[in-house]
Amino acid sequence: MFVTQAVRKTTVGTNLTEGPILRGLLLFAIPIVLTNLIQQLYSMVDLAVIGHYVGTLGSIGVNTGGEIADLVSPVAMGFSTAGQIYISQLYGAQKEDKIKKTVGTLLSFMILAAAFLGVVTILFHEPILWMINCPAEALGQAADYMIITAIGFPFIFGYYAVCGILRGMGESRRPLFFIIIAALINIVLDIVLVSGFHMTADGTAIATVLAQLGSFIAAFVFLLHNKERFDFELSASYFKPDREIMSVLLKLGIPQVVRSLLVRFSMLWVNSTANSYGVVVSSTNSIGNKLQKFLEVFVSGVDTASASMVGQNLGARKTDRAGKTTLYTLACTLVCATVTSLLCLFCPKLVFGLFTRDPEVLTLGVTFLRIFILHFYVSAIIGAFQAMVTGCGFVELGFAIGILDGVVCKIGLSLIFVHLFKMGYEGLWWGVACSRIIPCLICIGYYFSGRWKTRKLLTSK
């Protein structure tokens, strides 16, 4: 009787514990890939519009004023991923009551955390801007952008929380719909406010916040419309945090957040060092980083889908199916890496030419992309096996891999290539390209050890 009721009430999305593995993985992954692509594209609209209509000071204002938002987003994503993994295991184990409590706990925690971070940012925006060396000429626009976008933090966190809930239950199409709403609002309001009303960075910030509000409202309305499937209620008792669940979310989320912030820190160091080699190297590195993120969107989308699929199957005690999911994921990510590498090998100037016409940058861009072919393949391999580490909830290993990948190897290998082997700026790129090899070997070793099969699940607590 319980099983029948649980399945009926949690029919949002897809049961990833049944049916053909590859088909289920791809159908779940494609909307996630498209969501990530749209996020990458519409995040570039602000800079494009402000740069065209306002100029350099506007661009600096948006870039500098957005630094805190760039730091806050990994926090939202980290706890969203924590909720996704826990709910995926609960879904597989058909623990309906726990899913209900997890949804309420995650939403309340995320909104409160966002409100706290927003207030801190608004109160201390001036010291923050001076600390990150914002040019005095752009200080006013950067302050406006930072304050206005801080108001939107609860919408960002709320959106990510709902996405984590849905993806944990096998639903990836709705988050795509939510981000399309945000993209449309952002593009239209950017043009109207900056071009039509001649606003500066504040217009771009308002467009961003209203876009985030639009996606959050769409997500929240979906929860209300399907409240019987989540046992969702607009009541204080529903949003009361559960101590045990909060403990699990913090245990899963904090390492995710710290890892993301460490990766960001290491990339800031790499970018800062690249800037010291002059304008051509700096421009090549900047464009190359954008292309790397864009080209790896496909791999990261498949990995996100795989982690949920692994979590559901482990929760359902289908360890063989979880193991096969990892291998199918590996096949998919290797195909993505091969297509990306062929583009970098045979038409690198065409790819780099999407962002620049400078002949020196285009020539150096060929070197950058060919070095990063190694990075694309290693990322494809580690992503597949790390999805197993994430899906089974092995927080400690995931955290160690994150520190190795994000700081020790990335900075350490870059220093070795630059100073010991005297490779200059190319050493920086080789250091980043090789930084995931050791973490990759660790993930592969864990998978083939089979220890994930007997690991105590989050749902057992």
Side-chain angles (χ1 to χ4, degrees), residues 331-388:
C332 293
T333 54
L334 285 176
V335 169
C336 294
T338 299
V339 172
T340 300
S341 298
L342 289 174
L343 287 173
C344 295
L345 193 61
F346 292 109
C347 48
K349 286 191 175 181
L350 181 64
V351 175
F352 237 76
L354 295 172
F355 293 91
T356 183
R357 294 181 181 178
D358 188 320
E360 290 185 274
V361 175
L362 285 173
T363 300
L364 196 55
V366 174
T367 302
F368 181 98
L369 289 178
R370 288 182 175 168
I371 290 173
F372 268 74
I373 287 175
L374 172 62
H375 190 276
F376 294 138
Y377 272 106
V378 176
S379 293
I381 296 169
I382 190 176
F385 290 104
Q386 195 167 4
M388 170 59 77

Side-chain angles (χ1 to χ4, degrees), residues 46-66 138 141-142 145 200-201 204:
D46 287 350
L47 283 175
V49 172
I50 203 76
H52 182 75
Y53 289 104
V54 180
T56 302
L57 286 181
S59 297
I60 294 172
V62 170
N63 267 322
T64 311
Q141 293 197 49
Y145 191 89
T200 56
T204 302

Side-chain angles (χ1 to χ4, degrees), residues 60-366:
I60 294 172
V62 170
N63 267 322
T64 311
E67 286 287 342
I68 295 300
D70 290 342
L71 286 174
V72 164
S73 290
V75 178
M77 287 187 283
F79 285 107
S80 171
T81 301
Q84 174 185 328
I85 298 308
Y86 189 38
I87 288 172
S88 69
Q89 290 193 14
L90 292 171
Y91 186 96
Q94 297 181 339
K95 294 193 174 183
E96 177 190 353
D97 289 339
K98 271 291 181 71
I99 290 176
K100 175 183 176 180
K101 291 180 182 178
T102 302
V103 171
T105 300
L106 180 64
L107 286 171
S108 58
F109 168 73
M110 292 281 270
I111 298 299
L112 288 172
F116 171 76
L117 291 170
V119 170
V120 170
T121 301
I122 292 170
L123 291 177
F124 298 101
H125 71 277
E126 285 190 11
I128 292 170
L129 288 171
W130 285 115
M131 190 169 57
I132 58 179
N133 297 318
C134 176
E137 300 85 349
L139 194 60
Q141 293 197 49
D144 289 342
Y145 191 89
M146 184 174 287
I147 291 170
I148 295 170
T149 52
I151 296 171
F153 286 175
F155 308 140
I156 297 175
F157 276 66
Y159 162 77
Y160 276 115
V162 176
C163 288
I165 293 163
L166 295 178
R167 287 173 179 169
M169 298 172 73
E171 169 61 77
S172 59
R173 288 173 295 178
R174 291 293 174 175
L176 173 60
F177 173 71
F178 304 151
I179 202 65
I180 288 173
I181 291 175
L184 292 174
I185 293 174
N186 190 72
I187 292 170
V188 171
L189 289 181
D190 258 337
I191 296 171
V192 170
L193 295 177
V194 178
S195 173
F197 288 89
H198 306 292
M199 297 178 74
T200 56
D202 54 346
T204 302
I206 292 170
T208 299
V209 170
L210 291 178
Q212 292 161 352
L213 175 61
S215 62
F216 174 65
I217 289 174
F220 198 75
V221 167
F222 178 77
L223 282 183
L224 284 176
H225 187 67
N226 297 273
K227 58 184 178 182
E228 71 282 352
R229 301 180 184 181
F230 301 94
D231 281 334
F232 186 70
E233 303 169 11
L234 279 177
S235 63
S237 60
Y238 185 88
F239 291 95
K240 182 181 178 181
D242 181 280
R243 183 175 297 181
E244 180 187 344
I245 292 171
M246 194 68 250
S247 174
V248 174
L249 293 177
L250 290 173
K251 182 182 177 182
L252 287 172
I254 290 174
Q256 295 271 3
V257 171
V258 173
R259 183 175 68 185
S260 296
L261 294 177
L262 287 176
V263 169
R264 176 165 172 76
F265 165 78
S266 65
M267 285 310 301
L268 282 174
W269 178 86
V270 170
N271 295 338
S272 175
T273 307
N275 292 342
S276 68
Y277 286 96
V279 175
V280 174
V281 174
S282 175
S283 180
T284 303
N285 184 71
S286 177
I287 294 170
N289 286 338
K290 290 178 183 176
L291 285 170
Q292 177 207 334
K293 290 178 183 178
F294 186 79
L295 292 171
E296 289 187 343
V297 158
F298 302 93
V299 170
S300 65
V302 176
D303 294 341
T304 300
S306 179
S308 282
M309 197 167 187
V310 166
Q312 280 197 21
N313 282 284
L314 290 177
R317 303 295 178 179
K318 295 184 177 182
T319 54
D320 288 343
R321 184 179 172 86
K324 289 178 182 178
T325 297
T326 299
L327 298 180
Y328 277 113
T329 303
L330 178 62
C332 293
T333 54
L334 285 176
V335 169
C336 294
T338 299
V339 172
T340 300
S341 298
L342 289 174
L343 287 173
C344 295
L345 193 61
F346 292 109
C347 48
K349 286 191 175 181
L350 181 64
V351 175
F352 237 76
L354 295 172
F355 293 91
T356 183
R357 294 181 181 178
D358 188 320
E360 290 185 274
V361 175
L362 285 173
T363 300
L364 196 55
V366 174

